[in-house]
Amino acid sequence: MTLMSISLSGLEDGVVYLALSSPKVLRDANIAIVEEVVRQGFRAVVITVSQPSKILVQAYTRHGIDISRVSFIDVITKYALGTEPSPLENTTFVNNPRDLTSLSIAMTEMLRTYPEERTCYLIDSVTTMLIHLSSEDVSKFIHFASAKLGIMEIPLIFLAAENSLSPVLLDHLLTFSGEVITIESPVVPQAKTP
């Protein structure tokens, strides 16, 4: 079951995509992106700052996404719980959203885990990262991630809520991105009245 349609008409190796969505449908946009990435034969590696990976696994499963093709770098669960979470298959937990060093290490380790598979990374979401980090730190991390994955010819998608980014950060994201995708809200049919 697809919530919305997105246009990733052929993920290209090493290309950075900026996916902008209405804040109301950010979660649905995440699901639609992962569904499309997996459909195109990639392993989706979701760096989740917005929602715990356990909740995303349930959402992906409800929408028929093959969970065996999805891995997570979860930077929110440990922080939210305050303790070590129960292990979850294909998931690496980072201590907290401010720990960009551990997040960078987790990305490198994840790259080693699936060396023979075509992978695509999704950062969900830049908007949520700004709750925990300064715009400057987010920009530095995004530059690092896009450079690292670009050199390795791995596509990367940054998901962000439209109109929630400062003009400077948006300019940085646009500079690092090869393509911008605007994700429209799904059309919800109106109830018929007698």
Side-chain angles (χ1 to χ4, degrees):
M1 169 166 76
T2 302
L3 294 169
M4 61 180 62
S5 175
I6 61 167
S7 177
L8 285 173
S9 61
L11 289 168
E12 296 180 41
D13 292 342
V15 174
V16 176
Y17 300 84
L18 172 58
L20 296 171
S21 169
S22 155
K24 291 188 298 188
V25 296
L26 209 54
R27 182 177 179 180
D28 293 346
N30 171 311
I31 295 167
I33 290 169
V34 171
E35 182 177 51
E36 181 62 16
V37 165
V38 170
R39 187 192 67 74
Q40 289 189 32
F42 286 82
R43 167 171 292 281
V45 177
V46 180
I47 298 173
T48 180
V49 185
S50 299
Q51 301 172 71
S53 51
K54 184 175 182 178
I55 291 170
L56 288 174
V57 165
Q58 294 166 354
Y60 296 165
T61 301
R62 277 194 309 272
H63 289 88
I65 297 171
D66 181 0
I67 286 300
S68 71
R69 305 283 306 141
V70 181
S71 298
F72 297 93
I73 299 174
D74 182 330
V75 300
I76 194 63
T77 298
K78 238 180 179 178
Y79 176 73
L81 289 175
T83 63
E84 188 70 34
S86 300
L88 187 62
E89 190 174 351
N90 295 329
T91 302
T92 299
F93 294 100
V94 174
N95 288 328
N96 70 64
R98 291 182 190 94
D99 190 354
L100 295 179
T101 301
S102 293
L103 176 54
S104 300
I105 291 167
M107 285 179 66
T108 300
E109 288 174 358
M110 191 68 74
L111 288 166
R112 291 186 193 129
T113 304
Y114 306 103
E116 303 303 318
E117 288 187 66
R118 292 176 68 208
T119 57
C120 176
Y121 278 65
L122 167 65
I123 296 180
D124 179 17
S125 78
V126 173
T127 309
T128 306
M129 289 179 83
L130 291 168
I131 295 170
H132 305 283
L133 298 159
S134 69
S135 285
E136 183 179 341
D137 286 340
V138 170
S139 184
K140 286 178 186 176
F141 175 74
I142 287 169
H143 183 240
F144 159 79
S146 59
K148 182 176 189 75
L149 296 175
I151 290 168
M152 299 180 79
E153 297 186 342
I154 296 171
L156 170 62
I157 303 167
F158 295 116
L159 181 59
E162 286 180 308
N163 305 320
S164 68
L165 305 173
S166 72
V168 171
L169 182 56
L170 181 58
D171 283 347
H172 287 174
L173 289 172
L174 292 170
T175 300
F176 305 142
S177 302
E179 189 171 327
V180 177
I181 304 160
T182 301
I183 301 171
E184 301 294 330
S185 299
V187 176
V188 180
Q190 295 293 323
K192 294 182 179 180
T193 55

